[in-house]
Amino acid sequence: SQVQYYRDNDLAIGGVVNVYGRRVVLTDCDPFTREYYRVKYGLEDMTPAERPKTKAEEAVEPVPVPELPPHNGYGTHEDSAINCRTVFPFPPIKNYTQFFEKDKCGFDSRILRFGAQLMTSTMADSCRPFVLSYYLSDDTISVYENAPVNSGYSGGMLISRRKIMKPGENPMASHPPAYYTHQDLYIGNTLCLENFNLKLVSADEYALRYMELHANEFPKSNIRLILEKLREGVRPIYKQFVAQQMTNNNLPLIPYYDFRQAVKDVLKDSITEHEIITLARHYSGDPPAEDLTCLQIQSMVQNELKRYLFNAFERLEEGFCYRDPDKTGFVTKDTAYTVLRGANLPVDRDLIQVLLDRVCDEHCMVNYCRLVQFLDYKKSPAPSLQPVSIGSSVGVIARNRPPVNVDIRCVNLQSLIADIDLEKTLVDNN
């Protein structure tokens, strides 16, 4: 008689194959096999099957876990549970894996700090500033009041560092109570800590940045999940949403509070304050700054030199000559920056960068004789002008935009609309 062999249509997850007298159960397959059966046989459900128990495993009866007695109130629940499970008492075993992964490492503190507001009907108490610190190494929380001077409050520690149970938990129950974890910490959430209702209203740069870098642990800082939520909310009113934000047929930078209100109008209460801040930080942009004229830059530089009584212009020119052995009268912009910094020029670094950008030619070469004459307030004094904020006017021009901003001023709505990517879907539907 003809020998029959197993073929692909005889195999399936959960099926039994006789291999030389031994029964072999098929429990799972690789992605290529799943795709093969889906294309050839139309099988969509390829859920892995449970491994059957052996005779030895079936013979072993599961040992019942004894239920712990109710907690008597002495010590922590973990300490009492250890004493009930063993004859010889010893301290509760800590989660050393979490400790080694999340403990302080160098300048990385692994502490998330949030600004908190006391939720109370008393106006004076609701304005008191609190700082909530969450320690990632052991899930403990501390709350400190940073009372302003002459506020009438002494400030200090409100809640010392310890784990805090969630409201409604019974500390006397036999099962361990639920504590606050990092999943409960996001801007806009209200925590009940030791009968104090504290609302998280802000966070420092380290906390926001850490949560964004570990977005898999903090869904409120996961930009992909937030974009998906915004995409689904904007989809029915996409045309109206874009048209309301357009100015002169383009999408300009809009202030943060206008952006926040626009997102709130679309998603209502389904989006939290922390998610809006994460979205705005990801698409933040500096507003366009007005260009400073050479006369303004010269006046600003000379005012700084006068304020610090700097008059070593001959020494400054000697430094440029030393860097120019061929006596061409020109040095590179980087060399000019090094000489100015080496001469201890009492001028902000951003202002020096803007100054060199203005005086260099198309080949990034600087005529240092003209530069020294430009700086000399005795030989070439600049007229006094209205004071200009160096931090706001020069800093935006000189520095590149940092990856994240603590103080969000404007949001680049054009980049946000491009990442939502509903334009193509709208055209295809039409």
Side-chain angles (χ1 to χ4, degrees), residues 16 55 76 90 124 127 138 143 154 166 224 308 319 368 394 410:
V16 181
K55 294 182 178 179
T76 62
F90 57 88
C127 299
D138 54 1
V143 181
S154 58
K166 292 184 177 180
R224 293 186 179 181
Y308 288 96
Y368 56 82
V394 178
C410 291

Side-chain angles (χ1 to χ4, degrees), residues 21-22 26 36 56 67 102 138 142 173 184 190 236-237 247 249 303 325 346-348 353 356:
R22 296 177 181 270
L26 305 181
Y36 175 83
E67 185 179 355
K102 303 294 185 180
D138 54 1
S142 66
D184 303 307
T190 301
I237 55 170
T247 302
N249 294 329
N303 285 338
V347 180
D348 186 77
Q353 291 287 2
L356 295 179

Side-chain angles (χ1 to χ4, degrees), residues 113 130 164 169 204 277 312 325 366 406 423:
R113 294 182 175 87
F130 293 92
I164 300 179
E169 293 295 322
D204 63 359
I277 292 176
V366 177
V406 179
E423 190 72 30

